[in-house]
């Protein structure tokens, strides 16, 4: 059996890489991993949205050149991008929360749609760029609440403003790719990833951060939709996929277009199942399950078909749900006991690289 693909240190050593959203959860992990492989990283983002944050606790600022600007500001964004002279771009900056999108729909659309267009526009005049991986979400698909996983060819859509904004950004990405960037030799891939969990996330309205906050303070975790099913995966799973995708696009072994990144369909699990594992890993914790009809609309069942990345990129999931949740809870527990956050991340990346797909 052919070994599953992993990011190549030899490829990334010395590469000039731009990461938007580097102060966020996924962006922080990606910046750390790129630095570990010897890349020269420039980050563009707002200041960290939470306190604490992975950016602060793991000292991400020391691993890259940071620009704290709003990607909707065309002049500042273009100046920072051109200063970086990137060869490869990862665009992760976004308003990433469903419930926050109900509170501020216009801000969500401005950041996720117009902001994405501004990033792509900034690349048009750059001769240095060869590849851009534009990160969207598994929620770009028109959710039919059916039992099949969504494929890259399924229709886009979105009931809530967050999902709709990300679906719209996919159309913007395709337009810039076909109308402008392909002719300049810039290869564009969009990455649609499932729900990520892992150490270092303190965002609001996310399952594991909410659980950690509640249980560390002795409070009862309130769960809105215990039966909602999602394609949960450790944060390193999609990040490994993004890195391999960029490599394959760069050397011409993969085609421009959209790619799903998630666990096997059989690993999709309900919120209740994830919390049961998290409580076991934590050792205690009170939970109160709510009414599935309470609050704004959210999809009930969602899974991704990942056949394309398995065959085109050789990317395979490495950590099953049980291991993913246990590792995540151990990260927070070890941090609380005084272990350095960057050391925890470094150890996790090493363990991931050494594990078998």
């Amino acid at each position: 059996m052919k070994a599953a693909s992993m990011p190549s240190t030899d490829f990334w050593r010395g590469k000039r890489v731009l990461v938007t959203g580097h102060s966020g959860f996924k962006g922080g992990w990606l910046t750390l991993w790129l630095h570990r492989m010897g890349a020269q990283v420039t980050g563009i983002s707002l200041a960290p949205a939470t306190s604490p944050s992975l950016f602060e606790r793991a000292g991400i600022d020391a691993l890259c050149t940071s620009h704290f600007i709003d990607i909707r500001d065309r002049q500042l964004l273009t100046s920072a991008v051109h200063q970086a002279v990137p060869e490869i771009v990862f665009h992760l900056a976004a308003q990433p929360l469903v419930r926050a999108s109900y509170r501020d729909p216009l801000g969500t659309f401005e950041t996720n749609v117009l902001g994405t267009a501004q990033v792509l526009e900034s690349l048009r005049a750059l001769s240095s760029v060869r590849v851009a991986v534009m990160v969207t979400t598994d929620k770009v698909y028109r959710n039919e609440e059916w039992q099949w996983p969504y494929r890259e060819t399924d229709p886009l859509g979105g009931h809530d403003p967050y999902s709709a904004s990300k679906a719209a950004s996919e159309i913007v990405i395709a337009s810039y790719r076909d109308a402008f960037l392909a002719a300049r030799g810039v290869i564009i891939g969009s990455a649609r990833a499932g729900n990520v969990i892992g150490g270092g996330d303190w965002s609001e309205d996310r399952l594991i951060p909410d659980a950690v906050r509640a249980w560390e303070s002795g409070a009862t975790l309130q769960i809105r939709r215990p039966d909602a099913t999602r394609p949960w995966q450790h944060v390193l799973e999609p990040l490994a996929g993004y890195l391999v995708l960029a490599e394959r696009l760069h050397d011409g072994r993969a085609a421009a277009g959209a790619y799903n990144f998630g666990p096997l369909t059989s690993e999709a699990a309900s919120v209740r199942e994830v919390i049961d594992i998290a409580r076991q890993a934590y050792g205690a914790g009170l939970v109160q399950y709510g009414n599935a009809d309470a609050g704004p609309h959210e999809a009930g069942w969602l899974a991704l078909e990942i056949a394309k990345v398995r065959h085109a990129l050789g990317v395979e999931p490495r950590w099953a749900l049980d291991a993913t949740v246990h590792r995540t809870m151990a990260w927070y527990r070890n941090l609380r006991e005084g272990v350095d956050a960057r050391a925890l991340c470094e150890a996790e990346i090493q363990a991931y690289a050494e594990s078998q797909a």
Side-chain angles (χ1 to χ4, degrees), residues 56-130:
E56 175 265 322
R57 295 300 295 267
I60 302 298
D61 194 44
L63 309 181
C64 61
T65 299
S66 289
H67 299 275
F68 292 113
I69 59 176
D70 192 320
I71 60 171
R72 294 172 293 182
D73 188 320
R74 181 177 177 181
Q75 183 174 355
L76 290 178
L77 174 68
T78 300
S79 175
V81 171
H82 287 205
Q83 285 179 45
V85 198
E87 299 167 84
I88 296 173
V89 175
F90 292 97
H91 173 51
L92 287 80
Q95 191 298 96
L97 301 171
V98 171
R99 289 173 70 85
S101 78
Y102 280 105
R103 295 193 296 269
D104 183 15
L106 288 181
T108 299
F109 281 109
E110 287 174 353
T111 298
N112 294 352
V113 183
L114 182 58
T116 295
Q118 300 279 33
V119 170
L120 290 163
E121 179 67 20
S122 74
L123 304 183
R124 288 180 61 187
L126 273 181
S127 60
S128 62
V129 179
R130 290 291 171 263

Side-chain angles (χ1 to χ4, degrees), residues 11 37 64 85 113 180 241-242 260 271 291 298 330 340:
F11 174 87
M37 294 189 292
C64 61
V85 198
V113 183
F180 305 114
Y242 302 166
N260 286 342
V271 168
N291 183 348
E298 295 182 54
D340 177 73

Side-chain angles (χ1 to χ4, degrees), residues 2 50 53 77 81 87 92 109 122 137 141 170 192 235 253 261 273-275 277 291 300 342:
K2 185 178 178 181
T50 64
S53 69
L77 174 68
V81 171
E87 299 167 84
L92 287 80
F109 281 109
S122 74
T137 177
Y141 298 107
E170 284 277 1
R192 304 167 180 177
V235 63
R253 286 188 284 166
F261 295 92
E273 291 173 285
V274 173
I275 288 301
I277 300 171
N291 183 348
R342 189 190 299 178

Side-chain angles (χ1 to χ4, degrees), residues 12-74:
W12 291 103
R13 187 178 296 113
K15 286 286 193 302
R16 298 187 306 278
V17 183
L18 172 66
V19 177
T20 73
H22 73 301
S23 69
F25 169 51
K26 287 172 72 176
W29 275 95
L30 179 59
T31 299
L32 192 154
W33 199 343
L34 285 164
H35 178 269
R36 175 186 171 91
M37 294 189 292
Q40 301 172 27
V41 185
T42 297
I44 292 175
S45 70
L46 297 175
T50 64
S51 182
S53 69
L54 183 67
F55 186 83
E56 175 265 322
R57 295 300 295 267
I60 302 298
D61 194 44
L63 309 181
C64 61
T65 299
S66 289
H67 299 275
F68 292 113
I69 59 176
D70 192 320
I71 60 171
R72 294 172 293 182
D73 188 320
R74 181 177 177 181

Side-chain angles (χ1 to χ4, degrees), residues 37-355:
M37 294 189 292
Q40 301 172 27
V41 185
T42 297
I44 292 175
S45 70
L46 297 175
T50 64
S51 182
S53 69
L54 183 67
F55 186 83
E56 175 265 322
R57 295 300 295 267
I60 302 298
D61 194 44
L63 309 181
C64 61
T65 299
S66 289
H67 299 275
F68 292 113
I69 59 176
D70 192 320
I71 60 171
R72 294 172 293 182
D73 188 320
R74 181 177 177 181
Q75 183 174 355
L76 290 178
L77 174 68
T78 300
S79 175
V81 171
H82 287 205
Q83 285 179 45
V85 198
E87 299 167 84
I88 296 173
V89 175
F90 292 97
H91 173 51
L92 287 80
Q95 191 298 96
L97 301 171
V98 171
R99 289 173 70 85
S101 78
Y102 280 105
R103 295 193 296 269
D104 183 15
L106 288 181
T108 299
F109 281 109
E110 287 174 353
T111 298
N112 294 352
V113 183
L114 182 58
T116 295
Q118 300 279 33
V119 170
L120 290 163
E121 179 67 20
S122 74
L123 304 183
R124 288 180 61 187
L126 273 181
S127 60
S128 62
V129 179
R130 290 291 171 263
V131 169
V133 174
M134 313 295 289
V135 177
T136 60
T137 177
D138 57 351
K139 297 172 183 63
V140 297
Y141 298 107
R142 189 175 68 207
N143 195 293
E144 306 286 1
E145 297 289 357
W146 58 29
Q147 67 268 38
W148 300 288
Y150 291 91
R151 302 164 299 175
E152 290 87 349
T153 53
D154 284 328
L156 301 176
H159 182 284
D160 60 88
Y162 169 74
S163 300
S165 72
K166 285 295 195 172
S169 75
E170 284 277 1
I171 296 173
V172 170
I173 292 163
S175 173
Y176 265 85
R177 181 187 65 228
D178 298 339
F180 305 114
L181 296 172
R184 298 184 56 82
V186 181
I187 307 173
I188 306 291
S190 69
R192 304 167 180 177
N195 290 48
V196 296
I197 61 177
D201 189 4
W202 284 279
S203 301
E204 64 170 337
D205 290 330
R206 282 192 181 152
L207 185 61
I208 295 299
D210 284 350
V212 170
R213 276 189 290 267
W215 296 341
E216 286 188 349
S217 66
T220 298
L221 174 65
Q222 303 292 329
I223 298 294
R224 298 187 305 272
R225 290 181 168 85
D227 298 320
T229 299
R230 297 288 185 269
W232 310 95
Q233 59 186 327
H234 193 277
V235 63
L236 294 179
E237 300 276 20
L239 294 184
Y242 302 166
L243 291 163
V244 172
L245 174 59
E247 294 174 25
R248 298 292 186 271
L249 294 174
H250 190 276
D251 64 22
R253 286 188 284 166
Y259 292 82
N260 286 342
F261 295 92
L264 299 174
T265 303
S266 60
E267 285 284 302
S270 70
V271 168
R272 190 188 303 271
E273 291 173 285
V274 173
I275 288 301
D276 284 346
I277 300 171
R279 288 181 69 193
Q280 180 187 33
Y282 189 79
L286 298 175
V287 183
Q288 182 174 350
Y289 293 109
N291 183 348
D293 296 326
H297 174 274
E298 295 182 54
W301 196 93
L302 178 59
L304 295 176
E305 173 58 69
I306 60 169
K308 182 176 180 180
V309 296
R310 296 177 74 188
H311 292 284
L313 306 180
V315 170
E316 296 280 354
R318 288 174 177 255
W319 287 344
L321 180 65
D322 189 77
T324 291
V325 177
H326 273 83
R327 283 185 168 276
T328 298
M329 300 308 290
W331 194 101
Y332 288 105
R333 184 173 60 249
N334 288 331
L335 183 73
R336 188 174 68 249
E337 293 173 356
V339 182
D340 177 73
R342 189 190 299 178
L344 287 171
C345 293
E346 295 275 6
E348 203 81 326
I349 292 171
Q350 187 63 36
Y352 184 81
E354 294 172 353
S355 61

